Amino acid sequence: MLDFWFRASQPILYGGIVAAVLWGVFSATVALLFLLLVLLATMVYRARQLYKLGVWLNDPRIETIPEADGLWDEVFAALYKMVKQHKQTKQELAEELQHIEQATAALPEGVVILNDANRIEWCNPLAGQHFSVDIERDYMQDITYLMRQPEFVEYLAESNFSEPLMMTPARHDDMVLSIKLIPYGGDKRLMISRDITQLERIEAMRRDFVANVSHELRTPLTVVNGYVENLQDMPDLAREDRQRALQLMAEQTRRMENLVADLLTLSRLESDQNPLREEAVDMAALLDESCREGMLLSNGRHALRLEVARAFNLAGNREELHSAFGNLVSNAIRYTPEGGEILLRWGERSGQPVFSVQDSGIGIAPQHIPRLTERFYRVDRSRSRETGGTGLGLAIVKHIAMRHQAKLEVLSEEGKGSTFALVFPAGRAAR
Ligand code: ADP
């Protein structure tokens, strides 16, 4: 402190000493005049530095900090240090903020910050997609202005947010969102949104599947039940009638058996614990077996032929391929009237192995073709049932194809016939 006062008063101190000498040599007037001059110069110098400081404070940039000597230099140096530190802290905070923004942008959930009046203060890009919010345009916009659905407005007005709200945003009618509000920081709210469209779809499929299986089982069960009751009520039923009832019961039981077998096959094919066991499949034997089985099923009602354009084997699972080929051949027989022709073909197309079954049957109208591999999808329900179909055959074929990276192609014309082809990747050919 003492040092500061000494340095601050140095110009006046030295001026005083010189003035005392001038007094001795000349006169008191000269000395006073000199002292006045020193004071004036000191004042002007300090006023100038103050002016420079004032100008700089208006736009305090590190590059434009003024230069000076002595005490003023120390003041400006201290300011320089302060501004530099401030700039560094600001930069660190900006980087920190950027990290947080990057982290929230990478979140698999949408995040919106709402203030106490439900106005949007911030949102991450995913929330922008979910709620069609553009933060530049919609900053401080009321969220209910963008999301007007009554259920959402009601949810927002509630004070209990323990359960999430499931809803479809107005501008994405194919999307299902799960929305949850979390109050924080006194009067703010964090709105978290999750796209559960896929989950909902799987849940709907599961519900449909259970309903379909129950429906498929109910009819044969009702029939069997009816006959059992009949037989119980009429113990003296004629031998012929009894025989007929038993035969019909056996038919229905077989239908249920087929359904359960197909369901088990499907679930085995879908299981993650059942990877494809590959082997070199002897195609000549497999094709021969499929053709013979087809002939047995047709029982001489169709002209069945096997054509092998090029003999080569395939890398895959024999049992699964047998099941896929069998399903295609059985369909061709069941949907081709008596006297029709069925051709099984094994060959290649642009190096890719192809197995196809062509029939001259009833054919399929184009609008049904994309849906044929859906479980329980049938063009003609009664024809499928009459011929012992479960509605799962092509779903099984599609799964087997997928496990072999093959494609199932369907070409068909109503009234003329169909061709179902399995096109395998070239790499599966074992020549
Ligand atoms: P299904 O057990 O009913 O035959 P699939 O899954 O095997 O079940 O086939 C689904 C539907 O596709 C059938 O119900 C039938 O309407 C149609 N379909 C399949 N193959 C043929 C074919 N070769 N000719 C005409 N329609 C066919």
Side-chain angles (χ1 to χ4, degrees):
M1 193 66 188
L2 209 66
D3 179 51
F4 170 79
W5 284 114
F6 174 70
R7 289 171 62 199
S9 52
Q10 244 176 1
I12 300 159
L13 209 68
Y14 292 142
I17 294 169
V18 176
V21 173
L22 288 175
W23 197 347
V25 177
F26 300 102
S27 64
T29 319
V30 174
L32 267 174
L33 268 173
F34 176 75
L35 204 57
L36 204 69
L37 220 71
V38 169
L39 279 173
L40 210 68
T42 311
M43 258 178 64
V44 169
Y45 176 74
R46 290 190 177 164
R48 200 163 153 258
Q49 300 305 337
L50 267 176
Y51 173 76
K52 278 201 221 167
L53 179 63
V55 170
W56 180 78
L57 281 175
N58 273 333
D59 179 19
R61 271 181 296 134
I62 207 156
E63 318 81 61
T64 57
I65 199 136
E67 280 180 14
D69 312 310
L71 272 181
W72 281 99
D73 186 40
E74 283 175 29
V75 170
F76 289 139
L79 275 174
Y80 175 83
K81 209 168 137 194
M82 204 176 86
V83 172
K84 202 171 161 191
Q85 240 170 24
H86 177 71
K87 198 174 163 183
Q88 201 173 339
T89 315
K90 209 168 131 186
Q91 197 173 341
E92 278 168 13
L93 280 175
E95 276 170 20
E96 210 52 39
L97 197 71
Q98 205 181 1
H99 280 153
I100 295 173
E101 276 191 9
Q102 279 169 351
T104 44
L107 276 177
E109 272 132 7
V111 183
V112 183
I113 294 178
L114 298 174
N115 70 5
D116 55 338
N118 292 328
R119 291 184 181 275
I120 303 167
E121 286 191 349
W122 181 85
C123 75
N124 71 349
L126 199 58
Q129 281 174 30
H130 289 167
F131 304 112
S132 307
V133 173
D134 174 351
I135 196 65
E136 306 260 298
R137 183 195 62 202
D138 300 319
Y139 176 67
M140 281 298 159
Q141 177 68 268
D142 191 330
I143 185 78
T144 54
Y145 183 79
L146 299 166
M147 299 275 294
R148 292 162 189 249
Q149 287 97 319
E151 68 265 37
F152 178 74
V153 179
E154 264 170 41
Y155 182 69
L156 216 57
E158 265 177 34
S159 52
N160 177 14
F161 304 119
S162 54
E163 287 296 315
L165 169 75
M166 313 286 182
M167 63 170 291
T168 297
R171 291 183 209 179
H172 301 284
D173 52 9
D174 55 346
M175 190 190 265
V176 184
L177 288 180
S178 159
I179 298 171
K180 200 161 167 87
L181 275 174
I182 303 166
Y184 81 102
D187 52 3
K188 290 196 194 293
R189 287 154 170 206
L190 207 58
M191 186 164 82
I192 313 279
S193 56
R194 197 144 58 94
D195 183 352
I196 54 162
T197 317
Q198 202 60 20
L199 274 177
E200 277 293 295
R201 209 167 283 158
I202 291 170
E203 184 55 23
M205 266 169 65
R206 196 190 61 79
R207 278 195 302 266
D208 281 357
F209 185 65
V210 172
N212 274 325
V213 172
S214 319
H215 180 78
E216 294 290 330
L217 285 172
R218 189 179 300 137
T219 321
L221 269 176
T222 313
V223 176
V224 172
N225 236 347
Y227 282 118
V228 169
E229 277 172 17
N230 256 354
L231 290 175
Q232 277 173 338
D233 292 346
M234 292 184 268
D236 313 321
L237 205 66
R239 193 183 134 78
E240 223 170 78
D241 292 340
R242 177 185 291 266
Q243 212 52 37
R244 219 183 98 71
L246 285 173
Q247 193 192 332
L248 285 169
M249 279 163 73
E251 244 170 55
Q252 297 303 325
T253 320
R254 213 171 304 121
R255 195 171 139 191
M256 287 191 278
E257 215 171 49
N258 286 346
L259 180 66
V260 173
D262 276 0
L263 284 171
L264 283 174
T265 305
L266 255 185
S267 92
R268 218 174 311 119
L269 290 172
E270 279 181 343
S271 164
D272 295 337
Q273 269 90 54
N274 181 23
L276 187 75
R277 274 177 292 111
E278 294 197 30
E279 57 202 305
V281 180
D282 178 351
M283 286 307 284
L286 177 59
L287 291 164
D288 212 47
E289 191 178 339
S290 302
C291 189
R292 266 188 292 112
E293 282 168 357
M295 282 173 176
L296 259 168
L297 193 67
S298 160
N299 203 13
R301 287 173 294 136
H302 308 90
L304 224 90
R305 254 186 333 119
L306 168 66
E307 189 182 288
V308 178
R310 266 197 71 181
F312 57 92
N313 290 335
L314 194 76
N317 183 276
R318 187 185 195 281
E319 203 184 316
E320 290 186 18
L321 292 172
H322 182 215
S323 163
F325 293 2
N327 269 306
L328 294 180
V329 174
S330 140
N331 279 357
I333 292 165
R334 287 166 43 234
Y335 299 106
T336 302
E338 200 166 340
E341 285 175 19
I342 292 161
L343 173 63
L344 278 65
R345 202 184 274 131
W346 176 240
E348 63 177 348
R349 191 200 301 160
S350 319
Q352 289 188 278
V354 181
F355 171 77
S356 66
V357 182
Q358 187 181 350
D359 65 55
S360 60
I362 58 172
I364 307 156
Q367 71 270 24
H368 296 294
I369 292 180
R371 300 195 57 190
L372 292 183
T373 56
E374 285 176 25
R375 295 157 184 195
F376 300 112
Y377 188 85
R378 293 153 162 134
V379 178
D380 179 346
R381 229 155 239 286
S382 53
R383 184 173 184 125
S384 157
R385 289 219 177 96
E386 272 164 30
T387 54
T390 59
L392 294 173
L394 288 180
I396 291 175
V397 175
K398 190 186 90 176
H399 266 285
I400 295 173
M402 270 174 8
R403 283 164 68 86
H404 287 79
Q405 298 82 41
K407 239 174 56 194
L408 173 67
E409 287 180 0
V410 185
L411 282 175
S412 189
E413 205 177 323
E414 227 179 339
K416 292 214 168 141
S418 319
T419 304
F420 285 74
L422 281 168
V423 185
F424 294 89
R428 288 206 170 269
R431 282 168 239 266

